[in-house]
């Protein structure tokens, strides 16, 4: 898969791939004070923190690589350790929750990346354009990270099955409906509409991940989720 | 979990559990002609077929046991072999598709068992009572086989992820809407309504399996699926 989402919210600038020069990078940790900007104890602490951040990103990128492969290998701590070149203990130091924590972070990055696309348009939108733009942004993000989404969804349900906690991302849908409510009258509370919208969206997502729907059918259904929620809420009112 | 669904559609009568007396049962295979009803070559063939059926059920019951446990063990051929007391080769002889075939069969049994409950009521129903009764029957069946449903759903998405084919069970929903169409006018085609209904139902199911919804919330949402489909189709018409 070509384009992994960059980690949104992570410090930019240094966002290059380090895997190629990884051994060189890491040797810097043991080379005493090679960098002229960091000659004192504080500098050492700063560099340590920077190395920690970089290793953290390298490990996460290895996990993203694994989860994004066409024939996915199971995203285990051992596999991430092997791919990133770090020891399993280092992987656990960075991600104490192991597999569940990494899957959760990667899934949240895709969600955040979709939400960000919507947020960029948000100032120009009003009323129901908000949830609709939100849905289009999410669907686009999912379609352009297809393997990653399908694999992380498959893993998240497997993890939920094993009682690993992954948060419900319904808050993102909620926000776009709150924005709509600022300029139009809605037929139900934001909470009710968010539940209805998320339920329909998830059904399309789940069917797509199970290969019951093509990419096109997934898109066609998923972007209707807000309209379905409104229709259901209105019908409920009249009943 | 107390009540596993009996295998619907499988030959009745002999549907007791054999695991307790398994060794005794199986030793009958090598004891020559112990049963007075089967003294000729044809009788031997009949008994062979009966043994095959019984072993098949025993293996499947072991798989159902494994999948229904509170802390699920992975449903591998090796685990099923160990639990049932047969060799992995025998398990493969009965289920050449291995894990994927067993998960598919177990999931289909739950679906068929729910569908059967609806079919029993069907002769007394008319119009939209059909899809509504269908939804109630499915939700009841899912709630009373909670572990089995959640684990098989988790496994089926994992298997879809690995490109193992599991059929789309939308046909069941389809039938109940066709029945409704016999006595009432519907705002869209059966195909369109089945897709909308299945999408909403699946979203509730998926959220429930991810522990985003309680049993009660799952039920409340899932049984609305037909009404949501109708409302969405009607809104689509007026738009």
């Amino acid at each position: 898969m070509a384009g992994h989402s960059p980690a949104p919210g992570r410090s930019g600038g240094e966002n290059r791939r380090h895997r190629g020069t990884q051994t060189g990078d890491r040797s810097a940790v043991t080379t005493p004070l090679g960098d002229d900007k960091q000659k004192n104890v504080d500098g050492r602490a700063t560099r340590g923190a920077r190395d920690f951040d970089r290793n953290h990103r390298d490990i996460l990128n290895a996990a993203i690589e694994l989860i994004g492969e066409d024939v996915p290998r199971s995203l285990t701590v051992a596999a991430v350790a092997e791919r990133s070149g770090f020891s399993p203990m280092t992987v656990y130091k960075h991600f104490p929750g192991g597999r569940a924590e990494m899957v959760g972070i990667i899934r949240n990055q895709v969600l955040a990346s979709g939400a960000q696309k919507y947020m960029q348009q948000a100032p120009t939108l009003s009323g129901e354009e908000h949830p609709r733009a939100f849905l289009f942004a999410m669907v686009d993000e999912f379609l352009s990270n297809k393997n990653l989404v399908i694999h992380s969804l498959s893993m998240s349900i497997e993890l939920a099955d094993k009682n690993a906690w992954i948060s419900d991302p319904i808050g993102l849908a909620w926000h776009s409906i709150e924005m709509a409510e600022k300029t139009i009258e809605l037929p139900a509370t934001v909470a009710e509409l968010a539940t209805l919208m998320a339920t329909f969206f998830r059904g399309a997502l789940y069917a797509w991940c199970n290969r019951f729907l093509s990419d096109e059918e997934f898109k066609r259904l998923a972007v209707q989720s807000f309209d379905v929620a409104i229709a259901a809420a209105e019908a409920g009112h009249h009943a």
Side-chain angles (χ1 to χ4, degrees), chain A residues 33 37-53:
Chain A
L33 310 180
K37 289 201 187 99
Q38 295 171 6
K39 292 237 160 81
N40 54 26
V41 176
D42 283 340
R44 237 159 115 175
T46 309
R47 202 188 50 203
R50 248 188 16 203
D51 288 338
F52 186 89
D53 280 357

Side-chain angles (χ1 to χ4, degrees), chain A residues 170-239:
Chain A
I170 198 171
L172 297 171
W174 192 293
H175 174 74
S176 73
I177 301 174
E178 270 179 343
M179 294 298 288
E181 206 191 21
K182 288 188 177 174
T183 48
I184 58 168
E185 189 104 16
L186 295 175
T189 63
V190 172
E192 285 170 287
L193 291 170
T195 299
L196 292 166
M197 176 165 118
T199 300
F200 196 79
F201 187 90
R202 278 175 182 148
L205 178 63
Y206 167 69
W208 179 57
C209 287
N210 262 302
R211 321 283 158 117
F212 299 155
L213 299 180
S214 69
D215 291 5
E216 269 315 298
E217 290 166 323
F218 164 56
K219 183 168 188 168
R220 186 183 68 79
L221 281 168
V223 300
Q224 286 182 50
S225 303
F226 178 68
D227 299 298
V228 169
I230 292 289
E234 277 174 348
H237 260 315
H238 303 156

Side-chain angles (χ1 to χ4, degrees), chain A residues 68-211:
Chain A
E69 281 171 0
D70 272 333
V71 179
R73 289 177 51 188
S74 196
L75 188 79
T76 59
V77 167
V80 173
E82 196 198 315
R83 177 66 61 104
S84 65
F86 291 93
S87 71
M89 198 184 283
T90 303
V91 173
Y92 272 118
K93 196 175 78 183
H94 283 270
F95 302 96
R99 171 188 171 81
E101 184 176 356
M102 291 186 287
V103 171
I105 289 169
I106 293 170
R107 195 207 54 167
N108 289 344
Q109 282 185 10
V110 175
L111 295 174
S113 185
Q116 208 172 22
K117 281 188 193 161
Y118 153 64
M119 295 302 273
Q120 281 161 2
Q121 306 166 52
T124 67
L125 306 173
S126 80
E128 59 265 285
E129 286 169 357
H130 279 282
R132 284 187 192 140
F134 169 75
L135 291 166
F136 269 98
M138 295 309 277
V139 168
D140 264 3
E141 191 64 24
F142 287 7
L143 285 171
S144 57
N145 290 282
K146 185 171 176 177
N147 283 342
L148 199 150
V149 170
I150 293 184
H151 302 163
S152 70
L153 190 120
S154 157
M155 284 185 209
S156 77
I157 201 165
E158 183 199 331
L159 289 165
D161 193 23
K162 288 171 182 152
N163 295 316
W165 183 81
I166 288 189
S167 67
D168 181 352
I170 198 171
L172 297 171
W174 192 293
H175 174 74
S176 73
I177 301 174
E178 270 179 343
M179 294 298 288
E181 206 191 21
K182 288 188 177 174
T183 48
I184 58 168
E185 189 104 16
L186 295 175
T189 63
V190 172
E192 285 170 287
L193 291 170
T195 299
L196 292 166
M197 176 165 118
T199 300
F200 196 79
F201 187 90
R202 278 175 182 148
L205 178 63
Y206 167 69
W208 179 57
C209 287
N210 262 302
R211 321 283 158 117

Side-chain angles (χ1 to χ4, degrees), chain A residues 15-60:
Chain A
N15 230 341
R16 277 163 252 113
R17 294 290 297 280
H18 291 277
R19 294 213 326 106
T21 55
Q22 182 167 278
T23 316
D25 282 353
R26 226 145 349 123
S27 71
V29 179
T30 50
T31 305
L33 310 180
D35 185 335
D36 62 349
K37 289 201 187 99
Q38 295 171 6
K39 292 237 160 81
N40 54 26
V41 176
D42 283 340
R44 237 159 115 175
T46 309
R47 202 188 50 203
R50 248 188 16 203
D51 288 338
F52 186 89
D53 280 357
R54 178 196 295 160
N55 294 352
H56 198 86
R57 273 199 310 276
D58 284 350
I59 293 169
L60 201 55

